[in-house]
Amino acid sequence: MRGINSLMASLNHFLNWNNARMECFSLMILGLFSVRTVNLKEIAIGFKSKAQIDSRYRRLQRFFALFEIDYPVIARWIFQLFLKEKDKFYIIIDRTNWYWGKSKINVFMLSIAYEGLAIPLFWTLLDKAGNSNFNEQKTLINQFIKTFGIKHIEGLLADREFANGRFFQWLRKKKIYFYIRIKESSNVFTGKKKLFSAKKIFKYLNPKEKSTFGMSVSIFGQNVFLSGARSERGELMIVASNAQIKNAIAIYLRRWEIENLFKSLKTKGFRFEETHVIDLKRIKKLIAILAIGFVWAHRIGEWLAKKKPIILKNFKHQKRPQHTFFRYGLDFIREILLNSSLKTKQFRACVSLISYASEVFV
């Protein structure tokens, strides 16, 4: 069991838990990779232990019921894995939700745009169905600001759910640039005079064309600059920003990276939607395990790609990677766990990739 001991030692540099708790957490992560689902009963089966399956399952249940997690500590560790103290980057906010029976699971997450696949940092569970409100949006971003400060934020990216005057005004006061999509029907004003709907400004755009309106306008009572783009299929996208730049559309399109993250946590990765857990506090702890598993796999995927680049395949006349860094790393770890021993050099090399981030970022 030297392999599990090296993983425990690496993770415990930043978690600083007792051995029993750390062992359970580490075995849980390895079980998650082995069975590739967050279903606790399945993880218990993939749990490396001499105990009976029911005993392992109860141990996992006790972990989620009793132990508390310091989420900012995990966020700082994740930050160090991918970024440097002086880096600036785009943050993305979005939700993912589904039903388990009659229970609504509604996850609101803040992530960093990174290499086509967003990196999770903070998340909260909304005790309701539907959109987040201004206070929930402000609270989530303030968690980031409290932990890292505003100096790292190049800008904020968000979809139409987050287009509202209070949020725009708050971001402006915080001196945070934003790139937020708005509805085509949004009313546009110049001064007190209504100009027309946002859709009419860009109605002349042809497919695959984009444009930036030449003057600031007022939407939701806030002055912004508008950029528009029409897709190949004719769909119109309009982005509001407090930054007057021509590449606002290109910046906003990086918002899709959080969608790729959600897919990796769900159907294309750890199948998050298969959880039977409905208690919001326990789901938040479960996401912490998913986040650590995700970033570990991502770092390994980057490391592997340097030695053996990911194959590019044709997709609609474009060359695209066959796998994301995350999936490349995920498959590699699973192959080691399912076909080898935890004592292998490969596993120790995988652990070493997260060991250097053991010192908490200040």
Side-chain angles (χ1 to χ4, degrees):
M1 294 295 287
R2 292 176 187 171
I4 185 63
N5 290 335
S6 62
L7 179 60
M8 287 173 57
S10 178
L11 294 176
N12 214 28
H13 274 299
F14 71 96
L15 290 175
N16 196 27
W17 292 346
N18 64 49
N19 283 340
R21 184 180 181 187
M22 195 69 253
E23 181 187 50
C24 179
F25 189 74
S26 300
L27 288 171
M28 201 184 315
I29 290 175
L30 297 181
L32 174 67
F33 275 91
S34 296
V35 299
R36 233 196 82 192
T37 177
V38 296
N39 184 293
L40 295 186
K41 193 72 174 182
E42 294 295 324
I43 291 178
I45 294 173
F47 206 89
K48 301 283 184 179
S49 173
K50 294 180 180 179
Q52 296 294 315
I53 292 176
D54 286 344
S55 297
R56 300 179 220 163
Y57 181 54
R58 287 193 295 271
R59 187 178 180 185
L60 295 179
Q61 288 179 312
R62 287 195 299 271
F63 178 92
F64 287 104
L66 302 177
F67 294 137
E68 295 299 324
I69 293 177
D70 190 336
Y71 296 100
V73 167
I74 292 178
R76 287 192 287 267
W77 176 75
I78 291 174
F79 184 101
Q80 266 201 323
L81 275 176
F82 296 94
L83 299 158
K84 298 177 182 178
E85 184 178 353
K86 294 182 180 180
D87 284 349
K88 297 189 72 172
F89 44 80
Y90 294 103
I91 60 174
I92 313 170
I93 56 173
D94 203 2
R95 292 183 308 111
T96 184
N97 59 87
W98 66 93
Y99 281 94
W100 172 249
K102 294 183 179 181
S103 298
K104 178 76 169 182
I105 299 175
N106 196 357
V107 181
F108 181 28
M109 183 172 286
L110 182 151
S111 64
I112 296 172
Y114 181 84
E115 300 292 340
L117 195 58
I119 304 299
L121 278 187
F122 292 100
W123 51 89
T124 187
L125 275 294
L126 303 182
D127 189 15
K128 62 180 180 181
N131 294 348
S132 60
N133 59 41
F134 168 66
N135 288 329
E136 291 160 345
Q137 295 158 9
K138 182 176 66 172
T139 298
L140 186 65
I141 296 171
N142 273 332
Q143 288 183 53
F144 177 92
I145 293 173
K146 182 179 179 181
T147 306
F148 300 109
I150 293 178
K151 63 182 179 179
H152 293 290
I153 303 177
E154 188 74 37
L156 177 137
L157 318 180
D159 207 355
R160 285 168 289 198
E161 171 184 335
F162 305 94
N164 67 80
R166 291 183 70 192
F167 192 41
F168 283 8
Q169 183 181 43
W170 182 78
L171 290 170
R172 189 185 300 278
K173 286 183 177 179
K174 289 288 185 180
K175 298 182 179 180
I176 298 173
Y177 288 123
F178 59 81
Y179 305 84
I180 299 178
R181 189 175 179 180
I182 63 172
K183 294 180 180 179
E184 298 176 16
S185 59
S186 300
N187 291 324
V188 177
F189 294 82
T190 54
K192 294 182 179 180
K193 181 181 178 181
K194 180 180 176 182
L195 189 60
F196 30 63
S197 68
K199 180 179 181 179
K200 289 186 178 180
I201 296 177
F202 301 102
K203 67 179 181 180
Y204 298 109
L205 283 179
N206 294 317
K208 301 173 71 173
E209 286 185 347
K210 59 184 177 180
S211 176
T212 298
F213 194 54
M215 58 183 291
S216 68
V217 297
S218 177
I219 293 183
F220 315 127
Q222 300 298 313
N223 290 331
V224 297
F225 297 93
L226 298 182
S227 298
R230 197 175 295 279
S231 70
E232 188 174 356
R233 294 181 296 179
E235 181 183 2
L236 181 61
M237 174 192 302
I238 304 174
V239 173
S241 176
N242 56 344
Q244 188 178 15
I245 56 177
K246 292 183 178 180
N247 62 338
I249 292 292
I251 292 172
Y252 168 78
L253 287 174
R254 296 198 64 184
R255 191 206 67 83
W256 190 251
E257 295 184 22
I258 197 171
E259 300 288 354
N260 292 334
L261 167 62
F262 289 150
K263 290 177 184 177
S264 297
L265 297 182
K266 296 166 78 174
T267 54
K268 291 188 176 182
F270 296 129
R271 306 208 290 270
F272 185 18
E273 69 277 20
E274 293 182 4
T275 181
H276 294 182
V277 178
I278 58 174
D279 179 84
L280 300 187
K281 291 183 178 180
R282 297 184 187 186
I283 295 175
K284 187 172 183 179
K285 295 175 186 178
L286 180 58
I287 297 174
I289 295 171
L290 292 180
I292 289 174
F294 171 84
V295 299
W296 187 23
H298 197 295
R299 288 291 291 120
I300 291 172
E302 290 180 288
W303 170 65
L304 290 171
K306 290 179 181 179
K307 301 196 301 179
K308 185 179 180 181
I310 299 172
I311 297 172
L312 298 178
K313 289 198 169 184
N314 288 319
F315 181 79
K316 294 183 178 180
H317 308 294
Q318 292 182 339
K319 291 282 189 179
R320 294 189 180 180
Q322 183 180 17
H323 303 298
T324 62
F325 287 131
F326 161 74
R327 189 54 190 261
Y328 203 23
L330 173 65
D331 290 346
F332 184 76
I333 297 174
R334 295 189 75 235
E335 183 179 17
I336 292 173
L337 296 179
L338 297 176
N339 298 311
S340 300
S341 164
L342 289 182
K343 297 179 182 180
T344 62
K345 292 182 180 179
Q346 293 98 323
F347 184 80
R348 288 196 293 272
C350 290
V351 172
S352 70
L353 290 174
I354 57 174
S355 295
Y356 79 88
S358 60
E359 295 299 326
V360 175
F361 174 84
V362 179

